Structure formats: C-alpha cells, structure tokens
Amino acid sequence: MSFSADVKAELCRTRLTRACCARAEACGVLLYCNQFSAQGIKIVTESADFSARLPQLFRRAFQITLPPKTETESSGGKQIFLLEDSEKLARIWEVCGGAFGGGIAHHINFAFLEDEHCRLAFLRGAFLSGGSVTDPQKSYHLELVTSHYFVNRELTALLLDMGYHPKDTTRKSNYVTYFKQSEYIEDLLTSIGAPISAMAIMNAKVEKNLRNGINRRVNCDAANADKTVDAAQEQLVSIRSLATSGQLESLGEKLQEAARLRQAHPELSLSDLAALCQPPVTKSCLNHRLRKLVSLGKDR
Ligand SMILES: [Zn+2]
C-alpha cells in the first residue's frame, strides 16, 4: 500500500460522532472530488477505506443513501460513486448552502467551519477525496487538488489562518494547494486524524538526518586524512633534501627534532606528532617548525 493509502486508512478510523463534523467532512469531500455539479456527483477513489466510509458519511451528513459503488475494468481498481438522483442532489445542496450548483461558482461555506473540530473534519474530507502525500522515505509533499478556483483560494486562506504556509499552483485545469515542509505535513496529518502517519514522517526524518550526519563525518574524516598525508609527504621531501645537503645538521635542535619525528612517523597527524616532542609542544608550534623545514628545503 502507498503511504497515501495508509494515511487515508488511518483517517477513516476517525469516528463519525458529531453531525456538524460529518457535514463539514462531506463538504470537503464534495469540493475536492471528481465532479460536483448540478448534473451530478462523481467520486473516484483507490482507497477501499474511503469508499467504505462514504456511504456512512453521506447518511450522517445528508440523511441520504448513496447508490452502490461501481468498479469497472478500465478504472484500474478504482472505485466510483455516481449520484445523479435530482432529489438527493437537491438535498445535498440544501444542506451545503444555497451557493452550490446552478452554475454558480463553488465556495467553501465558512458558516460550517466556525468550530475547530469542523475545520479539521473539512480538511479530512478534502484530503480523503482530493489529497495525496508522498512516501517520507523519498520526499515531503502533501497536496490537495480541486477543480474550483475559489475553493482553492479559500482553502489557502483557511490554512494560513490556522498557522500553515501553503503554496499553490495549477495543474491542467485544476488548482493545487501543497506543502513541502515536513513540519506542516506532520502537524496537519496529526490534527485531522492521522497521528501515526505523522509519526512515520518524523521517524523517516530522524533516520535521514542520522544517515546524512554519518556520511558527512565520514567524508570529513577522509578529507582530513588526505590533507595529513599530503602535508607529511611535502615535509618528508624537504627533510630528505636538507639531510642530503648536510644542512639539516646545522639547524637548531628543535627543528632537527621535528624532522626526526616526521621521518619516524610519516602517518601521524600534527597533534599526535606534537605530543611526541620532548617536552611536548602545541600543534601550532610543531606546525610552525615543520613549515620552516619545508620552506628551507624549497629554498635549496
Ligand atoms: Zn464539528
């Protein structure tokens, strides 16, 4: 099952207790479904859980019985609900508010969304019907797609009001509201009834950060090791050249000690080598001496 399907299955476990919330959820479903017009309603879904919830939802919200779903060969396992009964359609519009149908632009009926529980139920309905979310192992993206211009605008306003910062775009003749920030996706899913899915996103994020952190450290250690080796190589070349020319013996005892230690321990880092000096010196002090050797070696 896809992550979206998991989320929808979890959302569908939310019980339809309050009538106000059932109505709000049903409105969300209708404004984000495939067709909601004066001619009829068409809801297409791949989610078995959502298609099991729909008849209960319509009964609770509108006191109507949905005609049984159809599942055609060509629908690729998708389940389709069609409602064309004019009396039932009239009943739905009556409940949803007079603004629906009759060629008038669709709007979110904010009168239904005064309470927090109803706002969240509306969002749940919209997500069940027109929403999807990507697998957090891959990326973070949640979107809600509607064919109604004003509904998209009003949803953005609603989400902004709730503290979210959604983005929107168009795709073909549809309007898309979306989030890319994992925190928003987690918060939204938690509040509309899918806290377990939200937790899965958090866990995926922690895992990803951990993995990135380890990779960064490995890369960083490897880069440092390469630098140590390169620097030691350069020092050894200079030291050898100073020794061959007999110049090394004429240098001060501290420089000679640095040269001896580097030749004896080509693989050691500066700080390890500094600790071997008698008495031990700081890393920067030894670095200074080794640089001196390199520059003297080059001058020759
Ligand atoms: Zn409510």
Side-chain angles (χ1 to χ4, degrees), residues 20-290:
C20 59
C21 290
R23 192 179 55 187
E25 185 177 319
C27 287
V29 167
L30 289 168
L31 292 173
Y32 279 79
C33 73
N34 299 68
Q35 188 199 336
F36 178 32
S37 71
Q39 288 71 44
I41 291 169
K42 184 180 183 184
I43 303 170
V44 181
T45 181
E46 286 176 48
S47 165
D49 302 273
F50 180 42
S51 73
R53 183 178 179 85
L54 269 173
Q56 303 167 33
L57 181 66
F58 274 62
R59 210 171 302 126
R60 188 90 173 96
F62 309 117
Q63 290 80 48
I64 63 161
T65 307
L66 264 188
K69 65 185 176 194
T70 56
E71 194 178 339
T72 58
E73 281 286 327
S74 59
S75 65
K78 287 179 183 165
Q79 291 153 41
I80 304 166
F81 290 88
L82 275 177
L83 181 69
E84 287 166 333
D85 179 313
S86 55
E87 259 177 52
K88 288 179 180 175
L89 287 170
R91 168 77 188 137
I92 289 172
W93 283 320
E94 187 192 314
V95 174
C96 281
F100 292 125
I104 304 166
H106 293 62
H107 287 276
I108 295 178
N109 189 344
F110 281 93
F112 291 170
L113 307 185
E114 279 178 12
D115 287 315
E116 171 91 2
H117 42 81
C118 295
R119 274 198 288 276
L120 298 175
F122 175 83
L123 291 171
R124 181 165 58 244
F127 184 84
L128 284 171
S129 170
S132 63
V133 56
T134 56
D135 183 339
Q137 302 289 348
K138 296 182 186 124
S139 61
Y140 310 117
H141 180 98
L142 180 148
E143 67 177 34
L144 294 153
V145 184
T146 180
S147 55
H148 311 296
Y149 174 75
F150 288 109
V151 172
N152 170 259
R153 296 277 304 267
E154 289 155 2
L155 181 82
T156 301
L158 176 69
L159 288 168
L160 277 171
D161 196 46
M162 294 169 75
Y164 295 97
H165 292 275
K167 299 212 162 79
D168 61 324
T169 183
T170 54
R171 193 181 297 143
K172 291 178 191 159
S173 55
N174 288 321
Y175 303 93
V176 184
T177 306
Y178 67 94
F179 296 109
K180 291 247 177 239
Q181 303 97 316
S182 58
E183 293 80 9
Y184 287 147
I185 299 173
E186 289 158 16
D187 286 354
L188 188 71
L189 290 182
T190 302
S191 58
I192 66 175
I196 298 169
S197 303
M199 191 64 83
I201 298 180
M202 283 178 227
N203 288 340
K205 200 162 60 178
V206 168
E207 230 172 79
K208 220 181 279 180
N209 286 343
L210 219 57
R211 224 178 302 130
N212 287 345
I214 289 167
N215 285 343
R216 240 192 327 270
R217 257 197 65 194
V218 168
N219 290 340
C220 185
D221 288 351
N224 281 339
D226 283 349
K227 260 190 261 168
T228 306
V229 170
D230 288 349
Q233 218 91 57
E234 192 185 22
Q235 292 153 12
L236 288 169
V237 170
S238 286
I239 291 165
R240 221 169 291 132
S241 132
L242 289 170
T244 325
S245 68
Q247 204 184 337
L248 191 59
E249 293 163 44
S250 65
L251 297 176
E253 174 50 31
K254 285 169 185 169
L255 286 178
Q256 289 197 43
E257 183 191 33
R260 261 198 319 277
L261 286 171
R262 179 45 92 202
Q263 281 185 306
H265 310 281
E267 76 292 351
L268 285 189
S269 69
L270 268 183
S271 41
D272 291 340
L273 209 57
L276 293 179
C277 291
Q278 292 295 337
V281 297
T282 63
K283 184 174 148 183
S284 80
C285 175
L286 180 69
N287 189 34
H288 181 76
R289 291 176 192 170
L290 288 169

